[in-house]
Amino acid sequence: MLTLNLVLEGGAMRGMFTAGVLDSLDEQNLIFDYVIGVSAGACMGVSYVTRQRGRSRNINISYCRDPRYFSYRNLLKEGNLFSVQFTYEEVPRRLIPFDYQAFEESPIHFVTAATDCETGQSVYLHNDRDMIQEIRASASMPFFSKPVEIGGRFLLDGGASDSIPVRHAMEEGHPKSVVILTRPKGYRKKIKSNSLLYKIMLPKYPRLAEAMNNRPAVYNQQLDDIEILEKAGSCIAVYPPADIIVDRLERDKEKLEALYQAGVRAGAELGKKLPQFLLDNKS
């Protein structure tokens, strides 16, 4: 196993790029021993942990147009854009089965990042409770999902507080990291205040509203940090191509497949870089 951190950004359906990278790494038998995922990154990461190559691709290609998977009908009906029953029960247990035993037996240290609604702070879940619930919490988008209760805390999307947890990984895992991003190199979020809007939409959770308002600045700083870490030789960042435009809720199968294949190619290139990166890690 590779004694490196693997950090997986979220991005909903843009996570198809991540799925391609992870499947390529699996095919090359390149398995990291510390993996931390946020939102869609966590969703893609669990199939890498169980080495179920192609599973994440199959789910999204098969159900991207299925209203049972994600739709505003689900939002109106149950309060969740992505149906809890279909996405987290029917798919992993019956339609495209998840290997729960392989996950439990895996030596990989897998971490899921979420956000505490009360404090607005990051929560890092080490899958010592209910893995499905933890991933659901990390992937539950504010305004489009109900908070998920775990251990007496109400949790939502990890991206609200720590979109790219590379610093946490380096504190908890190894000195060096590989980061798979879902926005092209050079992307930065626009900085604008939505403080009042978030306070109105999240009246029960003022600190979460504050975290959401600060997110663009925090996210941009994380991207700056990654570039600094790259120059220092502590990080490899893998970016999707700028010419494949995929929305967070993309339903176009051809676009999703193109992004997945771009991830596969990026994973192959990453595999060529890792031996030297590991060698430098030991020097």
Side-chain angles (χ1 to χ4, degrees), residues 100-246:
Y100 291 91
Q101 182 176 349
F103 182 83
E104 291 175 2
E105 295 175 354
S106 173
I108 296 173
H109 184 179
F110 184 73
V111 183
T112 304
T115 301
D116 187 317
C117 294
E118 295 284 351
T119 66
Q121 298 297 309
S122 300
V123 176
Y124 304 100
L125 305 165
H126 295 253
N127 298 300
D128 52 358
R129 301 183 185 91
D130 185 338
M131 179 269 296
I132 288 290
Q133 283 290 88
E134 293 175 355
I135 291 173
R136 181 186 152 207
S138 181
S140 291
M141 296 181 286
F143 318 129
F144 297 98
S145 308
K146 293 179 180 179
V148 179
E149 184 178 3
I150 297 178
R153 293 183 292 193
F154 290 91
L155 308 178
L156 280 173
D157 189 354
S161 55
D162 194 356
S163 296
I164 315 170
V166 61
R167 289 292 183 184
H168 181 81
M170 295 174 78
E171 291 171 0
E172 185 178 73
H174 303 293
K176 288 194 172 186
S177 303
V178 171
V179 183
I180 303 178
L181 298 154
T182 55
R183 292 286 197 177
K185 188 173 178 61
Y187 171 83
R188 294 293 187 276
K189 289 186 180 294
K190 294 180 180 179
I191 304 294
K192 59 180 180 180
S193 178
N194 291 304
S195 179
L196 180 59
L197 176 63
Y198 290 143
K199 286 180 180 178
I200 292 171
M201 296 184 72
L202 296 166
K204 292 176 58 178
Y205 303 118
R207 292 181 180 176
L208 175 61
E210 183 180 359
M212 292 289 295
N213 191 56
N214 294 336
R215 186 189 178 203
V218 173
Y219 181 80
N220 291 348
Q221 183 60 58
Q222 288 181 317
L223 291 174
D224 292 344
D225 286 347
I226 287 169
E227 291 183 358
I228 292 170
L229 290 171
E230 280 194 289
K231 290 177 182 178
S234 299
C235 174
I236 295 177
V238 183
Y239 299 89
D243 60 343
I244 302 177
I245 308 300
V246 168

Side-chain angles (χ1 to χ4, degrees), residues 260-277:
Y260 171 81
Q261 294 299 335
V264 171
R265 293 190 294 272
E269 290 302 311
L270 173 61
K272 297 175 184 178
K273 298 176 183 178
L274 285 177
Q276 185 61 50
F277 192 56

Side-chain angles (χ1 to χ4, degrees), residues 18-40:
T18 304
V21 176
L22 295 178
D23 282 350
S24 177
L25 291 174
D26 180 82
E27 186 174 14
Q28 298 171 76
N29 201 33
L30 296 172
I31 305 301
F32 291 64
D33 69 356
Y34 181 100
V35 180
I36 183 167
V38 180
S39 193

